[in-house]
Amino acid sequence: MASLAAEEKIEERIIQYQKHISSNDKINVAVIGMGIMGNNNVNTALKVPGVQLVAACDLYSGRLERAKELHGNDLFVTNDYRKILDRKDIDAVIIATSDQWHARITKEALQKGKHVYCEKPMVHFINEGLGVIAAQKVSNKIMQVGSQRVSSLVYAKAHELYKSGEIGKLNMVNAIYDRQDALGAWEYTMPPDASPETVDWDRYIAGMSKIPYDPKKFFWWRNYREFGTGVAGDLFVHLLSGTHVITDSKGPNAIFASGQLCYWKDGRNVPDVMTGIMQYPETPEHSPFQLTLQVNFVSGTGGSEMIQFVGDEGTINIGGEGLTVHHSIMPKAPGIGGWDALETYPKAMQETLVQQYNKKYSPEQQNRIIKPDIVYKQPKDFDEHLEHHTNFFDSVRTGKPVVEDAVFGFRAAAPCLACNESYFKKKIIYWDPEQMKVKES
């Protein structure tokens, strides 16, 4: 094995991670939306010293009952988020509702003087983004968007390797987030007592046209355009967030998406297979490149997540809890013979051409430059979700910038939401990544 490792010339780089968590003072936090991500966020936030949960909000009574089971009968629970925002003792709120409530609650929370941790995507519609950014600036409160890959050590290492020129000039990024099971396709377990008596449906659809009660549209909200953003807003956004962290990009200028509903025909009105293509223009931060995005909820691969950055001198492949850099550097000489027109010429001409070629190019110039692969593995005890929350609460205490503010969050979300617009309207969407606005052409 040692000789094989030497032959392959693999360089293993493992950076040791050490948690730095401040606990100078207590932070009272409330959670609005106690579904899967709301509970995950609570569990992670409470690992940060000094953070304590004082209130929870949800529109299904069973989740409020469960919150008290988990966090004690003294926990304040409500189905009206405004009661939480009116409390003076709450410093920060975690917003983990269905997507159509993100912008509305975020702006109201900021106006009430609360720090905000909002799940991705930051907004339900593109036209809500600049309003959220403005509200954060006026409030002077901390806002973090919850796409934890932004805090990943693997992505930080990929950023370092990309910026150091390990793969040359970037020209393509291929990103995949596939699944192959009902839960992964958002068909979650439904509570047997779901009804208009246990679900505050009228509050759920407040501000929308009247929609009859439908438990699927509440508990499986990701599958409906009225309440969620489909695979683009929910999963493409992870892939874009990672791409932007690594490249320092502000976003693409042209977006197109295609898709289909081919398997999970459960009433949803969003595709279960979707691809996106985005054109990133040349900027001071990066060369021009294409980004391809793929989500397949019925993938025969069994499901996978990977991002590959392709440059003119190699690739960075990110998957699992690590990455691999593979180099492939073209020789300076163009090559001669093999799959070439050379052998179609007269023999004497072939010999002359080969002699001229060997005279012009040295053996070194005719051979590819060989560089060892680079393999990086994240330390086993590292938790990017905890790191993301730690960054947020440290910023609440110190006022320092967060790693994923409203501007970053919107620049990651908007092109994904544009994929939905492209899919449903069957057209290319043009985007101004600097001004963060849709362009007509």
Side-chain angles (χ1 to χ4, degrees):
M1 290 296 292
S3 62
L4 179 61
E7 182 179 338
E8 292 178 348
K9 297 181 179 178
I10 299 294
E11 180 181 358
E12 191 89 15
R13 298 181 180 180
I14 300 181
I15 298 177
Q16 293 302 313
Y17 167 68
Q18 189 171 13
K19 300 182 185 71
H20 297 286
I21 299 177
S22 168
S23 58
N24 296 331
D25 53 273
K26 291 193 178 298
I27 297 175
N28 288 339
V29 66
V31 180
I32 302 172
M34 288 297 290
I36 297 172
M37 283 311 304
N39 275 278
N40 283 339
N41 284 323
V42 168
N43 294 338
T44 301
L46 293 178
K47 293 177 182 178
V48 181
V51 174
Q52 57 186 15
L53 179 68
V54 298
C57 174
D58 201 272
L59 300 180
Y60 167 53
S61 60
R63 285 180 174 154
L64 298 180
E65 181 182 343
R66 179 59 174 161
K68 281 182 170 288
E69 288 177 353
L70 291 171
H71 304 290
N73 286 325
D74 291 337
L75 181 70
F76 175 79
V77 297
T78 178
N79 63 353
D80 186 350
Y81 72 88
R82 294 170 298 184
K83 292 181 179 180
I84 283 177
L85 300 187
D86 285 339
R87 286 183 52 160
K88 303 297 183 184
D89 62 329
I90 292 174
D91 303 302
V93 293
I94 295 172
I95 300 171
T97 62
S98 50
D99 295 345
Q100 94 274 18
W101 280 99
H102 284 186
R104 199 181 335 180
I105 298 177
T106 293
K107 289 192 290 185
E108 291 183 30
L110 292 167
Q111 289 163 3
K112 290 284 188 175
K114 312 302 183 190
H115 302 287
V116 172
Y117 182 105
C118 180
E119 265 303 317
K120 54 75 195 163
M122 188 182 86
V123 294
H124 190 211
F125 298 113
I126 292 175
N127 61 15
E128 297 172 324
L130 295 180
V132 171
I133 292 171
Q136 188 278 320
K137 288 182 179 178
V138 169
S139 73
N140 201 32
K141 293 297 178 180
I142 298 298
M143 179 176 177
Q144 175 99 299
V145 179
S147 186
Q148 63 270 17
R149 284 161 184 76
V150 175
S151 294
S152 164
L153 277 184
V154 176
Y155 283 80
K157 187 62 178 179
H159 176 270
E160 173 194 322
L161 294 167
Y162 166 69
K163 288 296 181 178
S164 69
E166 283 289 349
I167 63 170
K169 292 182 66 175
L170 183 68
N171 56 57
M172 177 73 76
V173 179
N174 305 118
I176 296 173
Y177 204 140
D178 285 355
R179 294 174 174 178
Q180 194 195 28
D181 60 86
L183 295 179
W186 304 328
E187 289 188 347
Y188 300 130
T189 302
M190 198 86 71
D193 68 344
S195 71
E197 284 69 46
T198 59
V199 173
D200 192 340
W201 181 258
D202 288 339
R203 196 180 298 278
Y204 182 60
I205 63 170
M208 304 170 67
S209 300
K210 187 67 175 177
I211 302 171
Y213 170 75
D214 184 340
K216 286 184 179 179
K217 291 179 179 177
F218 184 83
F219 292 99
W220 296 359
W221 57 263
R222 285 179 172 83
N223 296 324
Y224 298 90
R225 296 173 64 190
E226 300 87 344
F227 310 102
T229 50
V231 300
D234 206 89
L235 299 178
F236 279 6
V237 71
H238 282 305
L239 304 175
L240 248 71
S241 296
T243 298
H244 291 183
V245 164
I246 292 167
T247 62
D248 292 325
S249 181
K250 292 183 174 66
N253 59 7
I255 300 135
F256 179 76
S258 179
Q260 62 195 43
L261 180 58
C262 65
Y263 186 86
W264 301 103
K265 298 179 181 180
D266 49 14
R268 70 183 67 198
N269 56 16
V270 294
D272 55 10
V273 175
M274 194 175 199
T275 58
I277 301 174
M278 300 185 183
Q279 169 65 55
Y280 280 70
E282 184 172 13
T283 70
E285 291 78 26
H286 57 74
S287 54
F289 66 91
Q290 302 285 313
L291 170 62
T292 67
L293 301 158
Q294 172 187 312
V295 169
N296 184 345
F297 273 180
V298 60
S299 173
T301 65
S304 63
E305 180 185 350
M306 61 82 66
I307 302 183
Q308 181 183 62
F309 291 77
V310 182
D312 57 12
E313 293 186 354
T315 60
I316 301 175
N317 290 280
I318 302 173
E321 298 181 347
L323 64 79
T324 301
V325 177
H326 177 72
H327 303 94
S328 180
I329 303 172
M330 289 189 292
K332 292 184 179 180
I336 191 169
W339 190 262
D340 186 13
L342 178 68
E343 293 187 5
T344 67
Y345 306 147
K347 186 175 182 180
M349 185 184 294
Q350 291 183 43
E351 293 173 351
T352 299
L353 287 168
V354 170
Q355 288 175 359
Q356 292 173 346
Y357 181 86
N358 289 329
K359 184 176 181 181
K360 184 176 182 179
Y361 299 105
S362 68
E364 290 77 17
Q365 292 174 320
Q366 294 182 38
N367 294 323
R368 285 181 174 268
I369 298 173
I370 304 300
K371 291 178 67 176
D373 286 357
I374 298 171
V375 175
Y376 169 75
K377 293 180 180 177
Q378 173 179 288
K380 291 181 179 179
D381 66 340
F382 181 78
D383 182 342
E384 63 188 34
H385 200 225
L386 176 58
E387 178 69 9
H388 209 55
H389 278 269
T390 300
N391 174 261
F392 170 64
F393 290 115
D394 278 353
S395 295
V396 168
R397 289 188 173 108
T398 66
K400 69 179 182 181
V402 290
V403 294
E404 189 176 6
D405 62 11
V407 171
F408 184 101
F410 184 48
R411 282 186 166 137
C416 301
L417 302 180
C419 282
N420 283 333
E421 187 173 350
S422 173
Y423 168 76
F424 286 108
K425 294 184 177 180
K426 296 180 170 56
K427 68 175 188 177
I428 297 172
I429 306 300
Y430 296 95
W431 175 249
D432 184 336
E434 289 284 347
Q435 299 299 316
M436 296 177 282
K437 294 179 179 180
V438 175
K439 301 188 296 184
E440 292 303 316
S441 62

